[in-house]
């Protein structure tokens, strides 16, 4: 059984809802999922997992959310040693920095020797059925990479 870390940040509740849906979907497919808020998560434990999925929002002027800052900074000192990963999150297309934190997490995890197995997914505000289809496709790519 594959063990997946699913970490999230959520201000409005959107990403918490996305992470909960993703956890249920992955578990239906037979994965073991540890769901944690990034403020409580230990980035140095990530190499213990078969895969890592991060769900984040973009704050203010394209920033990493404050509650994810320590986790993000710790990633700079973590060797993901080819750990499979994917990143997604909600944002607002009306904002000039739409989904920039998703990009920052993707770049940092790649820089930490992670193995990106799915294109990053950016969701405009509340997810609709098409967004959930893209979220589930991301999950399918993660699971397929673990076969």
């Amino acid at each position: 059984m594959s063990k997946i870390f699913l970490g999230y940040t959520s201000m409005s509740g959107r990403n918490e809802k996305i992470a909960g849906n993703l956890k249920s979907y992955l578990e239906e497919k037979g994965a073991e999922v540890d769901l944690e808020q990034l403020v409580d998560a230990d980035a140095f434990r990530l190499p213990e997992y078969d895969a890592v999925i991060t769900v984040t929002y973009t704050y203010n002027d394209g920033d990493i959310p404050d509650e994810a800052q320590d986790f993000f900074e710790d990633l700079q000192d973590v060797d993901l040693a080819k750990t499979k990963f994917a990143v997604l999150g909600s944002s607002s297309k009306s904002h000039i920095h739409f989904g920039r934190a998703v990009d920052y997490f993707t770049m940092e995890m790649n820089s930490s020797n992670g193995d990106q197995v799915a294109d990053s997914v950016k969701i405009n505000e509340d997810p609709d059925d098409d967004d959930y289809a893209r979220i589930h496709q991301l999950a399918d790519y993660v699971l397929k990479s673990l076969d």
Side-chain angles (χ1 to χ4, degrees):
M1 178 182 298
S2 300
K3 190 166 182 179
I4 299 172
F5 172 83
L6 176 55
Y8 73 95
T9 59
S10 190
M11 179 183 278
S12 66
R14 288 183 188 124
N15 283 328
E16 184 175 13
K17 183 178 175 183
I18 290 167
N21 176 279
L22 192 51
K23 181 181 191 297
S24 295
Y25 184 82
L26 290 163
E27 288 176 340
E28 286 172 14
K29 301 286 184 173
E32 180 182 336
V33 180
D34 287 346
L35 179 65
E36 289 186 47
Q37 291 187 35
L38 292 180
V39 69
D40 299 322
D42 181 357
F44 292 99
R45 286 189 32 240
L46 296 183
E48 299 170 11
Y49 290 89
D50 299 309
V52 173
I53 301 174
T54 305
V55 185
T56 187
Y57 65 92
T58 300
Y59 186 68
N60 203 18
D61 289 327
D63 300 325
I64 300 290
D66 288 342
E67 66 270 26
Q69 196 65 45
D70 288 343
F71 181 89
F72 182 82
E73 289 174 6
D74 286 347
L75 281 174
Q76 297 171 13
D77 297 320
V78 173
D79 183 0
L80 291 176
K82 299 298 180 191
T83 301
K84 313 293 187 199
F85 80 88
V87 182
L88 67 153
S90 68
S91 190
S92 174
K93 282 189 176 179
S94 66
H95 198 279
I96 190 169
H97 303 293
F98 174 65
R100 187 165 288 169
V102 170
D103 298 333
Y104 289 148
F105 267 98
T106 301
M107 288 185 287
E108 190 57 51
M109 293 178 92
N110 272 308
S111 294
S112 297
N113 291 321
D115 182 11
Q116 185 175 356
V117 296
D119 290 339
S120 298
V121 173
K122 296 178 184 178
I123 299 156
N124 185 40
E125 298 181 357
D126 291 309
D128 60 20
D129 289 343
D130 289 339
D131 293 320
Y132 280 116
R134 293 188 307 133
I135 292 165
H136 294 166
Q137 183 179 44
L138 175 143
D140 289 338
Y141 280 124
V142 170
L143 292 170
K144 185 174 179 156
S145 76
L146 300 173
D147 287 342

